[in-house]
Structures are given as structure tokens and as C-alpha cells.
Amino acid sequence: LVAADDPRIGATHVCLYLAILNQWSTAGGTNSITIDRQAIMRNAKIRSRHTYNKCMNDLHDFGYLKYTRSVNAHTSSCVILEKI
């Protein structure tokens, strides 16, 4: 299923995915990347942590990426892009 044809995907999901894709590109295209929530939120123009968490969990649940949330607020989370 392509995001354009997926009725569950909204503009905020797309912005978040693009911010992650940008980070992926900056990291050299390695499949597993670490992300900084604040930087991703800023780049995706997401202001609410609740919205970020909801969209990130949706993208994970819908199979667009694998998200391993950090248990420590001071360390980065891990993302593996599934559909590039």
C-alpha cells in the first residue's frame, strides 16, 4: 500500500516521514538510524509531543517503519525505514 492510497495517512504523517527520511539521507542512507525527537519534531513542524507520538506509532503500526522508542529521554530512539 502506497501512502497516497492509504486513507489512514494524513499530512502530519507525511511530514514526519519526510523529516525522518531527511535524517536517513543525512546519516548516509543506512537503514537503521537514531533520531532526536526534538529535531524531528522541529523539521516536521510538529509542536505537540502527543501528535508526534501518535503519528510515529501509527507509522510503526501501519508498517511504514519500525520504531524503537528510547526508554531514556536523553538518548535517541531508533528507526528502521520499511518502505523507501
Side-chain angles (χ1 to χ4, degrees):
L1 193 60
V2 179
D5 299 328
D6 191 341
R8 304 169 296 180
I9 298 295
T12 308
H13 293 95
V14 173
C15 290
L16 179 58
Y17 194 86
L18 288 175
I20 294 167
L21 192 60
N22 184 52
Q23 178 65 37
W24 170 81
S25 177
T26 301
T30 59
N31 195 19
S32 179
I33 60 170
T34 56
I35 59 168
D36 173 40
R37 178 184 48 80
Q38 291 178 333
I40 294 293
M41 285 178 64
R42 184 175 50 251
N43 291 337
K45 304 290 187 187
I46 297 173
R47 293 186 181 182
S48 166
R49 196 178 321 176
H50 173 77
T51 300
Y52 169 83
N53 287 331
K54 180 190 178 313
C55 288
M56 185 64 86
N57 289 328
D58 285 349
L59 289 172
H60 174 84
D61 293 343
F62 300 161
Y64 288 90
L65 52 80
K66 286 187 182 177
Y67 174 56
T68 306
R69 184 177 176 178
S70 171
V71 293
N72 183 342
H74 301 291
T75 59
S76 300
S77 297
C78 180
V79 171
I80 298 172
L81 297 176
E82 294 291 319
K83 297 181 180 182
I84 300 176

